[in-house]
Amino acid sequence: MAVIKAVSSKVSIGQALDYVMKQEKTESKLITGLGCEAETVKEEMQATKELWGKLDGRTYKHFVHSYHKSEQITPEQAHRNAIELAKATKAWDGYEVIIATHTDRGHIHSHIIVNSVSYEDGHKLQWSKADLQDLKDRCNEQSRQQGLHVPEKWKTFYGEEREDTVAWNKETYRRLKQAEKGEVKSYVQEIALAIMDCKETATSRETFMEQMQAKGYGVDWQDKHKYITFVDLARQQQGERQCKVRNNKLESYYAVDFGKETLENGFESNARREKNRADAEEYARRQLDRAAVTENNGADERERARQQLNQAAAQSATDAFIEQLDAQERIAEEKRNDSIAEREANETKRQRHSFAGKQATKGRKQTIRERSRRSEEYDRSNEMDF
């Protein structure tokens, strides 16, 4: 695995050249000059500055191209790779460049020093972050082509997760580290924290921007723009110039991916999670409703059964009552019939008694009349005898 980085140094150009070409660290075959000779590089760079009258300001740029200690690569191959990268860097065309590969450490690395003044036209070296990124990208591609490892984003040179704050500018780095310790307040850090908070819950770009707005931060997210710009609205309203930061800046500072694609993928994941949660809640609600309906239905069924039982019991009671009435009616009827029969029998008996009485009376009367007649006949006969 190879990485390349810019080195900030306060020593003079002469001291830097002396250091990178020390015999204790390298050997002559691992020192190469582009646009200059290794043996006279100090004099040539100084002559160029004097020729164009540019002795002030930054006098050189310093880069280090390093390989991981476990990488299987020879010093010679590492040196050739550094030369190839330097030659392909268009911004260095017309500038003296010295390349020295060191083998005194646990890992092989090459120092690259570039004069700040062009020997062709005297222009000062213009070097941007985009130029550095291009150099890093070509370094990674070179490693891929050679079957070497390529560093992973947000990881250190040793493959560990990068946790430290990193900044291009020393003052920015110092400020961010102070904010990290809570010593000062940094709008950059506050925006980064707000983004990390909102991206965990937002389900779309729109909801993300709304949540950021609610926290006091504007979001300029346009499809035609490569980067997203975040704005501290309070600082902007106060007229402060330092109130904006782009997502790529935040990525470089905090080793967190704030890219458009990453954020939108996160929103989609949040939306799916929210939908799954809502579906689960809806399913649970339906199950509860179904259980409640079943319970209610059961209660209704039980109530209907109870009513039916009550009705059956009532009907049974009614039927029993009716049967009882019928029985009582039958008994009464029988009693009435018996009474009638008895009365009829009594009447018949009475009538028989009456008839018999009448007959007896008639007989008695007849007897009396017969006796009376006989008595009269007797009397008359006696009178005749006297």
Side-chain angles (χ1 to χ4, degrees):
M1 180 174 69
V3 296
I4 192 164
K5 63 180 180 179
V7 178
S8 179
S9 176
K10 294 182 178 180
V11 302
S12 66
I13 187 171
Q15 290 174 313
L17 290 170
D18 288 341
Y19 172 80
V20 301
M21 293 190 293
K22 268 187 179 183
Q23 292 183 358
E24 297 86 351
K25 296 180 175 295
T26 186
E27 49 186 307
S28 59
K29 67 176 182 179
L30 297 178
I31 301 175
T32 301
L34 301 179
C36 61
E37 296 295 329
E39 294 78 7
T40 58
V41 62
K42 287 174 63 176
E43 291 76 11
E44 291 183 51
M45 288 187 176
Q46 184 62 26
T48 297
K49 295 178 185 302
E50 293 176 354
L51 174 64
W52 297 101
K54 294 184 177 179
L55 303 173
D56 299 328
R58 182 176 293 277
T59 57
Y60 65 99
K61 293 289 290 183
H62 189 177
F63 303 87
V64 178
H65 181 227
S66 306
Y67 286 91
H68 192 274
K69 60 183 179 181
S70 64
E71 199 70 81
Q72 298 298 315
I73 190 168
T74 64
E76 290 76 18
Q77 180 61 48
H79 189 65
R80 286 195 296 271
N81 288 345
I83 293 172
E84 179 182 308
L85 290 173
K87 286 183 176 180
T89 303
K90 299 300 180 182
W92 297 346
D93 288 347
Y95 293 82
E96 291 117 344
V97 180
I98 195 73
I99 302 160
T101 300
H102 291 187
T103 59
D104 62 322
R105 296 280 185 88
H107 62 282
I108 298 172
H109 59 283
S110 300
H111 289 266
I112 304 173
I113 291 182
V114 185
N115 193 3
S116 63
V117 181
S118 170
Y119 60 82
E120 289 184 344
D121 54 21
H123 288 166
K124 275 276 194 172
L125 177 64
Q126 300 298 314
W127 186 251
S128 67
K129 289 176 287 185
D131 292 326
L132 179 59
Q133 188 59 54
D134 174 68
L135 181 58
K136 291 180 176 181
D137 292 341
R138 286 187 286 110
C139 174
N140 291 339
E141 183 58 31
Q142 185 184 73
S143 295
R144 289 191 192 93
Q145 292 178 359
Q146 295 178 11
L148 303 176
H149 294 93
V150 176
E152 296 181 53
K153 196 173 185 180
W154 315 133
K155 289 193 175 182
T156 67
F157 180 65
Y158 299 100
E160 300 171 348
E161 294 292 336
R162 179 162 69 82
E163 298 179 354
D164 291 338
T165 300
V166 177
W168 172 270
N169 181 275
K170 277 188 174 182
E171 180 59 29
T172 301
Y173 175 79
R174 184 183 64 80
R175 184 80 177 178
L176 292 176
K177 292 300 289 186
Q178 287 179 326
E180 193 176 286
K181 296 176 182 178
E183 297 174 358
V184 297
K185 188 174 181 179
S186 166
Y187 79 95
V188 172
Q189 184 186 60
E190 295 297 324
I191 288 176
L193 292 174
I195 296 171
M196 294 178 71
D197 186 26
C198 293
K199 76 183 185 70
E200 293 300 319
T201 57
T203 55
S204 66
R205 182 194 306 187
E206 292 71 24
T207 57
F208 172 74
M209 295 171 69
E210 289 172 1
Q211 290 179 17
M212 288 293 290
Q213 182 80 22
K215 289 180 177 292
Y217 304 107
V219 181
D220 183 6
W221 185 333
Q222 301 182 42
D223 292 334
K224 62 182 180 180
H225 292 169
K226 182 177 180 180
Y227 301 110
I228 307 169
T229 300
F230 299 95
V231 185
D232 186 319
L233 299 177
R235 293 175 67 91
Q236 186 181 55
Q237 290 173 359
Q238 293 170 4
E240 297 188 32
R241 294 182 61 186
Q242 293 185 339
C243 62
K244 299 181 180 181
V245 63
R246 292 194 306 191
N247 62 316
N248 62 318
K249 276 275 193 180
L250 294 173
E251 290 178 355
S252 65
Y253 292 157
Y254 298 108
V256 178
D257 193 346
F258 292 129
K260 289 183 176 181
E261 183 177 356
T262 299
L263 289 176
E264 289 184 329
N265 288 340
F267 301 156
E268 291 177 4
S269 178
N270 293 343
R272 286 193 299 270
R273 185 175 63 248
E274 182 65 22
K275 184 178 184 303
N276 291 339
R277 185 191 62 78
D279 289 345
E281 288 183 356
E282 177 64 19
Y283 176 77
R285 187 188 64 77
R286 288 198 301 267
Q287 290 295 97
L288 290 174
D289 290 346
R290 190 175 295 114
V293 169
T294 301
E295 184 176 350
N296 290 337
N297 288 342
D300 293 343
E301 289 297 325
R302 290 193 295 274
E303 181 61 26
R304 280 194 292 273
R306 189 164 23 289
Q307 290 177 358
Q308 290 173 358
L309 288 173
N310 291 338
Q311 290 173 358
Q315 184 64 41
S316 177
T318 302
D319 292 344
F321 179 69
I322 292 173
E323 288 180 1
Q324 184 179 5
L325 289 178
D326 289 344
Q328 291 175 353
E329 184 66 26
R330 283 194 301 272
I331 293 171
E333 182 67 22
E334 289 175 356
K335 287 182 178 180
R336 283 194 300 272
N337 291 338
D338 291 344
S339 179
I340 292 171
E342 184 178 0
R343 283 196 301 270
E344 288 178 350
N346 290 337
E347 181 64 23
T348 301
K349 184 178 180 181
R350 186 187 62 77
Q351 287 176 356
R352 283 198 303 269
H353 288 170
S354 177
F355 179 76
K358 286 179 179 180
Q359 289 298 109
T361 300
K362 183 177 179 181
R364 283 193 301 271
K365 287 180 178 181
Q366 183 68 29
T367 300
I368 292 171
R369 280 192 297 270
E370 185 62 29
R371 285 175 182 175
S372 178
R373 184 184 61 76
R374 286 176 182 176
S375 177
E376 287 177 356
E377 286 179 355
Y378 174 79
D379 288 341
R380 276 190 309 265
S381 69
N382 287 334
E383 288 179 354
M384 293 179 65
D385 289 336
F386 291 98

